[in-house]
Amino acid sequence: MYFIKRLQYEVLMHPENFGAELRQRIHKRLCEDVEGTVHGTTGIVVAVLRFYDEQDCERGLIEYETGHASFIVNYEAIVFRPFKSQVLDAKVTLTHEHGFNATVGLSNLSIFVSKHNMPREFAYRAEAEMWSMEDEDGAVEVAVDCVVRLRVVNVTFASKTEVTCIGTIDGDFLGVLEEAGSDDI
């Protein structure tokens, strides 16, 4: 789920950046440092929207060892955070005998669906590197690049750079949405 959150970050600036455009350089460095990263358990920072406390950008603290200046910047950002029981549409990135991995579009969000979290009819075909089953509508295949609808079972903030989830496609209205190779993505 996406949120707009007010966050805080410490920006370190080298003395060569001091000057008339210091504020713009601080904002640029902030965007480079935080966009696409995990912010605690708040979620993944997608984009910085706005900066607060403009006057604080002019009041940095000098680090005596390095000469760098430390600026505390308050900002507002769009943050993505998956929740337990949330339903997501994800693209399969890897299949193997234990299940498959998928992503929602953010490179640092990884979802693993175990073979135990799929309908029992699914079987792994190693030669084709896909999970498949037969149902009343024909063959259903989970392969690399197909799109699946899944439910999040567990969320773990593994590190400052990655969020990992466990998912399931065993449930009503869950499963394959688009076959691999479809141009409708």
Side-chain angles (χ1 to χ4, degrees):
M1 190 172 289
Y2 291 92
F3 298 98
I4 295 179
K5 298 287 281 184
R6 189 169 180 166
L7 304 170
Q8 191 175 70
Y9 184 74
E10 178 184 14
V11 177
L12 289 174
M13 297 298 292
H14 191 275
E16 70 183 8
N17 294 313
F18 299 167
E21 296 184 4
L22 177 62
R23 185 176 299 155
Q24 290 83 2
R25 290 178 179 163
I26 291 171
H27 292 169
K28 183 179 177 188
R29 172 69 61 84
L30 173 75
C31 292
E32 291 170 355
D33 287 354
V34 301
E35 287 181 351
T37 62
V38 178
H39 189 274
T41 57
T42 304
I44 301 167
V45 178
V46 178
V48 174
L49 297 177
R50 161 177 345 152
F51 304 97
Y52 293 103
D53 303 329
E54 290 291 329
Q55 66 276 10
D56 288 349
C57 285
E58 298 168 358
R59 298 179 192 197
L61 297 174
I62 304 293
E63 292 185 346
Y64 293 108
E65 298 84 25
T66 62
H68 288 76
S70 169
F71 298 91
I72 303 298
V73 181
N74 294 303
Y75 64 100
E76 191 172 81
I78 298 173
V79 176
F80 178 78
R81 186 192 194 293
F83 287 97
K84 185 177 178 181
S85 299
Q86 183 177 359
V87 175
L88 299 170
D89 294 346
K91 190 170 189 175
V92 176
T93 57
L94 176 69
T95 61
H96 44 81
E97 63 187 45
H98 302 292
F100 65 87
N101 292 51
T103 185
V104 179
L106 302 167
S107 62
N108 44 5
L109 175 63
S110 170
I111 304 169
F112 173 68
V113 178
S114 169
K115 64 182 176 184
H116 304 292
N117 290 337
M118 293 187 238
R120 293 181 186 206
E121 297 82 15
F122 270 99
Y124 185 66
R125 293 184 15 216
E127 70 281 352
E129 295 184 355
M130 71 172 62
W131 286 87
S132 64
M133 75 173 207
E134 292 287 330
D135 67 0
E136 62 273 356
D137 296 330
V140 176
E141 298 175 339
V142 176
V144 173
D145 290 335
C146 78
V147 178
V148 295
R149 178 162 290 152
L150 54 86
R151 179 174 292 114
V152 175
V153 176
N154 188 21
V155 179
T156 304
F157 290 87
S159 67
K160 289 186 175 185
T161 59
E162 187 175 25
V163 177
T164 58
C165 299
I166 304 294
T168 182
I169 60 169
D170 190 10
D172 293 337
F173 308 108
L174 303 177
V176 177
L177 294 179
E178 295 178 10
E179 300 270 330
S182 174
D183 293 332
D184 298 335
I185 299 176

